Amino acid sequence: MRISYLIHNFGKSGGSIVLYNFMDNLVKRGYEVYAITPTKSYKWEIGMWKELISKENSVSHLNLKNIIKKTVYNRIKNYNQVKKFKTLYNLNKITKGLIENWIPSDITISTYCFTAYAGYYLSNRTVSLYHMQHFEEVFFQDYMDRMIARNTYYLPLLKISNSSWLKNIMKKYFNEETYLLNPGIDLNIFTYNPNFMDKYKEKKEWNIVSFFDETREWKGFSDAVQAVKKAREILEDKGYKINWRVFGSNPPTKVYDTQFEYVGQLFHKDLANFYAQSDIVLLTSWYESFPLPPIEAMATGSLIISTQYGVEDYLVDGFNGLVTLPRKIKDITDKIIWAIENPEGVSRIVRQGIETAKDYSWEKRTDVLEQIFNDAIKSYSYNNKTRLFDDLVNGKFKEYMYDEFSL
């Protein structure tokens, strides 16, 4: 079976890496897989994404022409009007490029809102799926970008949600039933030290780690700052010390109300070691859609304190992690304090977290994806409703049209 993935570009975010791992595992199982981009098609080989993302993100790959354009656009008086034109131009360019480079396939999978329109265009020629990895409208501030994302949820494509949170949004706000496909994690990389329980004992110094992002407010880092500051104030009087280290794409640009160490951008084994060396992994986003850091950190044998929305598939408060509602600073603070003062209870939670993570191997997740493929092929209905319009545009008037036009 031939499968084509419609990809905007070769990014290195968690969502992109999820796709690459699914593609790798499909090739391992004998599928013929292609990555279709707006500029080129690639016959997929296992692990090739590591070189592709390196090229995509290298300094030499930066397009000087685009940098100059951006500088000029920012100086134009009617920049907002120019930006709207640029957005539509880019959408058209991406859609045309994907269609032109598409390899005829049994199944074609859109992977991002800006690729879904090409998926719809091809839906009469292939089983067209839309693998959604977040509610992408929230990524954009510009209203036109938001509408481009939102309108893809109305397209007549078979949709896949990566989390129960997203699946619920699709049903509640768009009346769309979707498949559920949780991502996997590499359990050979995100694994625990045999002596991981040694860190959960009575002690006065605790290590917390978090994801750092000051540009996207919804990532909730300012909430983490407030919670850690308050926890430090309360626990300091009891003789406890909290060390806080954070990782992320970009370093801090301002001074915060409590101290932390920024360690840079981490991936794969470096990230796994970072989690494993911590006592608590604190994540305070307002909303996510199956975020990888909590489940990856669970697999390394560390306690997760996370906010609620998007982690429902794998994280249960008091069972395999500690969960609060987002933006509830006192609740987050209380969870930190409870964990530090109750290492025996934490050790029980951490053990269960490791067991939970075992259900998210790539093998098990790819089994689910194959089940979705089989069901989609059986239930797919090629859209012949547009045959009328196609014939009219091509100057044809056929017998069936009398019934079509009757009132």
Side-chain angles (χ1 to χ4, degrees), residues 152-193:
T152 64
Y153 304 132
Y154 294 107
L155 293 175
L157 302 172
L158 293 178
K159 299 176 180 70
I160 301 171
S161 296
N162 77 329
S163 70
S164 295
W165 176 82
L166 181 56
K167 184 178 175 68
N168 179 62
I169 285 180
M170 288 298 110
K171 178 60 178 176
K172 185 174 182 179
Y173 294 100
F174 299 92
N175 198 31
E176 287 280 340
E177 294 289 353
T178 66
Y179 294 109
L180 178 63
L181 176 62
N182 294 147
I185 60 173
D186 190 335
L187 293 173
N188 292 317
I189 293 176
F190 294 96
T191 188
Y192 57 93
N193 186 305

Side-chain angles (χ1 to χ4, degrees), residues 306-368:
S306 174
T307 41
Q308 178 66 55
Y309 302 125
V311 300
E312 295 87 349
D313 291 292
Y314 60 82
L315 197 55
V316 179
D317 184 41
F319 176 66
N320 56 11
L322 298 177
V323 184
T324 76
L325 292 174
R327 310 234 66 198
K328 301 293 185 181
I329 308 302
K330 183 181 183 303
D331 292 347
I332 300 170
T333 302
D334 289 346
K335 297 288 187 183
I336 295 171
I337 293 171
W338 181 88
I340 289 174
E341 292 185 334
N342 293 274
E344 186 175 340
V346 168
S347 64
R348 173 183 54 79
I349 291 172
V350 169
R351 286 183 187 277
Q352 192 57 53
I354 289 174
E355 292 304 310
T356 299
K358 292 176 182 177
D359 287 333
Y360 292 91
S361 68
W362 281 113
E363 282 297 312
K364 290 184 178 181
R365 297 300 101 198
T366 307
D367 287 344
V368 177

Side-chain angles (χ1 to χ4, degrees), residues 13-231:
S13 66
S16 295
I17 292 172
V18 164
L19 295 173
Y20 307 149
N21 277 281
F22 274 125
M23 294 161 76
D24 279 354
N25 278 275
L26 289 172
V27 172
K28 287 178 185 177
R29 297 186 180 200
Y31 293 87
E32 184 181 355
V33 178
Y34 286 85
I36 313 298
T37 74
T39 57
K40 187 178 179 180
S41 63
Y42 299 80
K43 190 172 190 303
W44 198 255
E45 296 177 8
I46 296 169
M48 70 183 295
W49 56 271
K50 295 172 185 176
E51 182 179 352
L52 288 169
I53 64 173
S54 177
K55 288 180 180 178
E56 188 84 15
N57 292 278
S58 67
V59 174
S60 61
H61 189 75
L62 292 175
N63 190 322
L64 182 60
K65 185 178 177 182
N66 287 338
I67 295 173
I68 294 171
K69 277 183 179 179
K70 186 175 181 180
T71 304
V72 172
Y73 288 152
N74 286 335
R75 294 181 180 274
I76 294 175
K77 273 189 176 181
N78 296 320
Y79 172 67
N80 288 335
Q81 294 299 322
V82 174
K83 187 176 185 300
K84 288 178 181 178
F85 172 78
K86 183 171 177 283
T87 298
L88 292 174
Y89 172 79
N90 286 338
L91 176 60
N92 184 59
K93 184 178 178 181
I94 290 165
T95 302
K96 281 189 172 182
L98 291 170
I99 292 167
E100 289 170 0
N101 292 313
W102 179 68
I103 305 294
S105 303
D106 300 291
I107 293 174
T108 299
I109 305 173
S110 303
T111 60
Y112 177 58
C113 57
F114 275 75
T115 69
Y117 294 95
Y120 174 55
Y121 179 92
L122 297 166
S123 60
N124 276 340
R125 302 158 64 185
T126 180
V127 175
S128 201
L129 299 173
Y130 182 12
H131 188 168
M132 304 174 297
Q133 299 197 83
H134 209 301
F135 183 63
E136 291 175 357
E137 181 180 337
V138 299
F139 292 169
F140 305 107
Q141 292 293 320
D142 181 78
Y143 188 72
M144 180 170 287
D145 289 334
R146 288 175 55 199
M147 291 303 99
I148 287 171
R150 187 187 299 178
N151 287 336
T152 64
Y153 304 132
Y154 294 107
L155 293 175
L157 302 172
L158 293 178
K159 299 176 180 70
I160 301 171
S161 296
N162 77 329
S163 70
S164 295
W165 176 82
L166 181 56
K167 184 178 175 68
N168 179 62
I169 285 180
M170 288 298 110
K171 178 60 178 176
K172 185 174 182 179
Y173 294 100
F174 299 92
N175 198 31
E176 287 280 340
E177 294 289 353
T178 66
Y179 294 109
L180 178 63
L181 176 62
N182 294 147
I185 60 173
D186 190 335
L187 293 173
N188 292 317
I189 293 176
F190 294 96
T191 188
Y192 57 93
N193 186 305
N195 301 318
F196 75 96
M197 292 308 300
D198 292 349
K199 61 187 178 183
Y200 295 114
K201 57 186 179 183
E202 292 289 342
K203 59 181 182 179
K204 292 298 183 179
E205 191 166 336
W206 284 71
N207 298 310
I208 297 179
V209 303
S210 299
F211 176 71
F212 176 77
D213 188 332
E214 67 182 10
T215 60
R216 294 177 290 179
E217 191 176 10
W218 58 271
K219 285 292 186 180
F221 186 74
S222 61
D223 298 339
V225 168
Q226 294 179 60
V228 172
K229 179 186 178 184
K230 189 64 177 176

Side-chain angles (χ1 to χ4, degrees), residues 190 275 281 283 292-304:
F190 294 96
Y275 289 146
V281 177
L283 301 159
L292 294 175
I295 189 71
E296 290 172 343
M298 286 166 69
T300 67
S302 291
L303 175 69
I304 309 306

